[in-house]
Amino acid sequence: MAVYIRKHPLEIPLPSEKDWLKDDEEDFFLQDPERERDALPQPIRMVTKLVMLVFDDAMEIAERRERLREAEKLKVKPTECFATAEFQVTGTATCLAVSGKYIFVGLSLGLAAFKVSDYTEVCAWDAVKTEICAIHALDLGNEGHILFAVDEMGLVCLFCFHKECFLLIKILNEVEDISKRSTCVEVVLSPRGDYAGILLQGNTKAWLEIYRLPKDSWLKEMEESPGAALGLTSGERRSSQASAKSLELHKDGSARMESPVAANEVDIKLSLPVLLLIVKPPKPITGSSFKNPLDALKKVDDDSMLGLGYNHLIKDSQWEQQEAIFCSMYREYLKVEGKSREEMPRHATFHFLLPSQILQVRPGMKVQPDVPAGISVHWDGSHNLCFYLLNHPLKEKVDSDLNPDVVWPCAAPIVCSAVSSCSRYLALACEDTAITIWDMQLGYPLSVTTILEECLIRSIHFLRSSAVASDETPCAGTDPACPIVQLLVLCTDSALYLVKAPRSEKSSITLLANRPQDSNLAVSAVMPVLAFPSAVLVFSWDGKVSLMNTDTSQIVYCFIIPPSHSVASPWQPVFTVDSVNWCLLLRGDKQQQADALDSCSTIFLFDFNSYPLKEAFPQEPDLPLKSSQNLTWFERCNIFLSDRQQSLLGLREQLPEFWGRLQAQAAAMDEERQKKKGPKKP
């Protein structure tokens, strides 16, 4: 029988693309056999997958909104507080300030003053015909007020408001040559009006000017001037016919004897403020010109300040060589293209400081406890906090190259700073989110904390602690017994943190409000209310104004304006807090305004005394206030040592634990060393 024998061995053929399984056929064994012929073609299957993906995303969004809605229901609903009073302002109100018995309103064409008692307009000033962007006012007593107004051109107008009359003293940065004109960026008044600081910017540079204000001379000159009586008479006529005069002035622009412009033209010459200091940004560090260390040490003795880094021995060639090495090593991480040289800083933050252990005056100089003795200045992008004394002798020509008296170098650039209302505590926040609170009276840091989240600090504010249970804000130089310093931190992502720094315990940081998911709920501004402990006003981009209790992290009150109005420019609200009568003044505009140019702004008032705020912010029993301003060195040392002893009590309890860890680590190291040596030979 013939048998067929294969001549070649049996081989397995190589796979081809035709044999590859398609994506939709890999799980064919899981499909229903009866629906095999009903499979849809590829374009329809792709559309089906996209539709299902969109449906799943929509369901996730709906579930997230439902969870947020349920979380809102569980929260305690804040109490709604409606406006207790309101008054109309002719024109657009751009800024507000309260001083004593008067409310000053910056308008699109000048200034206006209103009474706090009945909200009637008593005086107006519109000689310049420019928009007022910022107002800073302070009550001098005896019916006198200091007023700094910054217009849209950057000019700083210094007024003295006396007996319901605006008196223009001087435009501080006015020059004849327009090309040399400087623009005002910020104005800061000292707590009692003894000094004023003005930050100016030119075409290529910026600088800070500090003025001494002759407030006592102003009050005396206004009382002795015969024009003061004329100003009072014009002010009375203005208050009796406020609305009619205001409309007449803004329509035809005329100025008759009864108008507020005529009242401002009273011939009263007042003393001019004295320019005391000119502070410029620190110069960039350049190569050293010293030949040896001895020359650098000699330079220190001629009043040059340590801390700025100028007196060094590094040559320009060494810096260039080091920069070249660094760029060659990290070229792939650096964006060298388009890199420009560092520009001079254009903005600075400064505060007036009372006499303290950190800011000590020169021997032989008289110091008053309630008068600022110096200022603290830090420029944008700078690591150094510079202190300048204000007790300099007056000169005909102010020194433009002034060196700081004290320099505090920081590990990272300083972002913002704040001074407490009692001027005792100073807080610094750096780019690395490190926050330091200094006790200026005792001269040592009270707290050093860091925000662990990756965010940038936007602003910091001191709060009134519940331990300071006095109805009035502590005056300068007073020291509450066992205070707990509270610092509110606002980050750029609208997250709110609270830093608590007790004297004898470890400081803590608490998250008050997380970053909002909705951009309309972002925080535009915060403002501490020192009338109540742990109270903060929070302004949101959606126009909501609320009062938060930082002890409970809850919104306890919401301030509501009528439905016909809305909060004007909620991203930059126009408001102020009256620290004497304790009320909130907030600008509101009609939601449907026909003519925006001829519009009227409405100022709403929320009187804190009309709401049950004391129940939401309970106060502890009053604690006696003791003054540490006039204490002797022996008493100051006793306070310092007692505080240090209290802080060491907790460390003593932790010493056994630390010692046990050290012993365990030493035993482990000894055992490891024995293993490396090997077993001992017999």
Side-chain angles (χ1 to χ4, degrees), residues 96-98 103 527 537 539 574-578 583-586:
L96 299 170
V98 180
I103 302 172
M527 181 70 175
L537 280 171
F539 297 83
V574 180
F575 73 98
T576 187
V577 176
D578 187 358
C583 63
L584 169 65
L585 288 84
L586 180 64

Side-chain angles (χ1 to χ4, degrees), residues 33 68 88 94 116 158 208 214 270 296 426 429 437 505 553 607 680:
L68 292 176
Q88 298 288 333
T94 56
V116 175
L158 174 59
L208 175 63
L270 301 179
L426 171 67
I437 302 176
E505 299 178 6
S553 304
D607 189 1
K680 294 183 180 181

Side-chain angles (χ1 to χ4, degrees), residues 545-567:
V545 183
S546 54
L547 189 64
M548 174 186 284
N549 187 351
T550 57
D551 288 340
T552 59
S553 304
Q554 295 290 336
I555 300 296
V556 292
Y557 287 94
C558 284
F559 298 100
I560 308 298
I561 61 176
S564 59
H565 291 70
S566 61
V567 177

Side-chain angles (χ1 to χ4, degrees), residues 408-477:
W408 282 1
C410 297
I414 303 174
V415 177
C416 52
S417 59
V419 177
S420 61
S421 59
C422 61
S423 300
R424 171 163 184 169
Y425 302 102
L426 171 67
L428 299 176
C430 299
E431 282 188 359
D432 57 354
T433 67
I435 303 172
T436 307
I437 302 176
W438 284 83
D439 190 334
M440 304 288 288
Q441 291 295 330
L442 299 180
Y444 68 90
L446 188 66
S447 168
V448 179
T449 55
T450 304
I451 298 178
L452 300 179
E453 300 293 334
E454 295 182 359
C455 59
L456 295 177
I457 297 177
R458 178 178 167 187
S459 63
I460 54 178
H461 309 270
F462 277 98
L463 304 181
R464 179 185 167 189
S465 175
S466 58
V468 187
S470 176
D471 291 337
E472 298 180 359
T473 303
C475 60

